[in-house]
PDB file of all heavy atoms in Angstrom:
ATOM      1  N   ARG B  44     103.676  86.309 109.666  1.00 87.00           N
ATOM      2  CA  ARG B  44     102.722  87.327 109.215  1.00 87.00           C
ATOM      3  C   ARG B  44     103.366  88.714 109.246  1.00 87.00           C
ATOM      4  O   ARG B  44     104.377  88.923 109.900  1.00 87.00           O
ATOM      5  CB  ARG B  44     101.484  87.320 110.109  1.00 87.00           C
ATOM      6  CG  ARG B  44     100.737  86.013 110.047  1.00 87.00           C
ATOM      7  CD  ARG B  44      99.565  86.012 110.971  1.00 87.00           C
ATOM      8  NE  ARG B  44     100.038  86.094 112.348  1.00 87.00           N
ATOM      9  CZ  ARG B  44      99.286  86.459 113.368  1.00 87.00           C
ATOM     10  NH1 ARG B  44      98.036  86.788 113.175  1.00 87.00           N
ATOM     11  NH2 ARG B  44      99.780  86.494 114.594  1.00 87.00           N
ATOM     12  N   ASP B  45     102.750  89.665 108.548  1.00 86.00           N
ATOM     13  CA  ASP B  45     103.240  91.036 108.552  1.00 86.00           C
ATOM     14  C   ASP B  45     103.150  91.633 109.946  1.00 86.00           C
ATOM     15  O   ASP B  45     102.361  91.198 110.776  1.00 86.00           O
ATOM     16  CB  ASP B  45     102.430  91.903 107.584  1.00 86.00           C
ATOM     17  CG  ASP B  45     102.714  91.532 106.138  1.00 86.00           C
ATOM     18  OD1 ASP B  45     103.822  91.041 105.871  1.00 86.00           O
ATOM     19  OD2 ASP B  45     101.825  91.739 105.293  1.00 86.00           O
ATOM     20  N   TYR B  46     103.947  92.659 110.195  1.00 81.00           N
ATOM     21  CA  TYR B  46     103.963  93.285 111.512  1.00 81.00           C
ATOM     22  C   TYR B  46     102.609  93.885 111.891  1.00 81.00           C
ATOM     23  O   TYR B  46     102.206  93.841 113.039  1.00 81.00           O
ATOM     24  CB  TYR B  46     105.021  94.385 111.571  1.00 81.00           C
ATOM     25  CG  TYR B  46     106.425  93.853 111.543  1.00 81.00           C
ATOM     26  CD1 TYR B  46     107.310  94.252 110.552  1.00 81.00           C
ATOM     27  CD2 TYR B  46     106.880  92.954 112.498  1.00 81.00           C
ATOM     28  CE1 TYR B  46     108.604  93.771 110.522  1.00 81.00           C
ATOM     29  CE2 TYR B  46     108.166  92.458 112.471  1.00 81.00           C
ATOM     30  CZ  TYR B  46     109.025  92.886 111.482  1.00 81.00           C
ATOM     31  OH  TYR B  46     110.302  92.404 111.460  1.00 81.00           O
ATOM     32  N   ASN B  47     101.895  94.437 110.934  1.00 80.00           N
ATOM     33  CA  ASN B  47     100.605  95.060 111.239  1.00 80.00           C
ATOM     34  C   ASN B  47      99.475  94.048 111.402  1.00 80.00           C
ATOM     35  O   ASN B  47      98.368  94.421 111.756  1.00 80.00           O
ATOM     36  CB  ASN B  47     100.231  96.077 110.172  1.00 80.00           C
ATOM     37  CG  ASN B  47     100.122  95.472 108.799  1.00 80.00           C
ATOM     38  OD1 ASN B  47     100.469  94.323 108.607  1.00 80.00           O
ATOM     39  ND2 ASN B  47      99.654  96.257 107.838  1.00 80.00           N
ATOM     40  N   GLU B  48      99.721  92.776 111.189  1.00 73.00           N
ATOM     41  CA  GLU B  48      98.702  91.739 111.354  1.00 73.00           C
ATOM     42  C   GLU B  48      98.869  90.974 112.652  1.00 73.00           C
ATOM     43  O   GLU B  48      98.268  89.943 112.852  1.00 73.00           O
ATOM     44  CB  GLU B  48      98.745  90.771 110.172  1.00 73.00           C
ATOM     45  CG  GLU B  48      98.360  91.429 108.878  1.00 73.00           C
ATOM     46  CD  GLU B  48      98.479  90.490 107.705  1.00 73.00           C
ATOM     47  OE1 GLU B  48      98.782  89.308 107.908  1.00 73.00           O
ATOM     48  OE2 GLU B  48      98.266  90.956 106.585  1.00 73.00           O
ATOM     49  N   LYS B  49      99.692  91.474 113.528  1.00 64.00           N
ATOM     50  CA  LYS B  49      99.891  90.841 114.827  1.00 64.00           C
ATOM     51  C   LYS B  49      98.592  90.943 115.597  1.00 64.00           C
ATOM     52  O   LYS B  49      97.909  91.930 115.566  1.00 64.00           O
ATOM     53  CB  LYS B  49     101.016  91.554 115.570  1.00 64.00           C
ATOM     54  CG  LYS B  49     101.423  90.895 116.840  1.00 64.00           C
ATOM     55  CD  LYS B  49     102.607  91.635 117.417  1.00 64.00           C
ATOM     56  CE  LYS B  49     103.038  90.959 118.690  1.00 64.00           C
ATOM     57  NZ  LYS B  49     104.168  91.641 119.297  1.00 64.00           N
ATOM     58  N   GLY B  50      98.247  89.876 116.313  1.00 63.00           N
ATOM     59  CA  GLY B  50      96.973  89.927 116.996  1.00 63.00           C
ATOM     60  C   GLY B  50      96.793  88.860 118.038  1.00 63.00           C
ATOM     61  O   GLY B  50      97.250  88.995 119.161  1.00 63.00           O
ATOM     62  N   THR B  51      96.154  87.788 117.669  1.00 62.00           N
ATOM     63  CA  THR B  51      95.624  86.828 118.633  1.00 62.00           C
ATOM     64  C   THR B  51      96.670  85.943 119.300  1.00 62.00           C
ATOM     65  O   THR B  51      96.396  85.392 120.345  1.00 62.00           O
ATOM     66  CB  THR B  51      94.594  85.918 117.939  1.00 62.00           C
ATOM     67  OG1 THR B  51      95.247  85.226 116.878  1.00 62.00           O
ATOM     68  CG2 THR B  51      93.450  86.729 117.390  1.00 62.00           C
TER      69      THR B  51
END
Side-chain angles (χ1 to χ4, degrees):
R44 297 178 295 162
D45 290 333
Y46 290 122
N47 60 352
E48 294 177 4
K49 187 176 181 181
T51 60

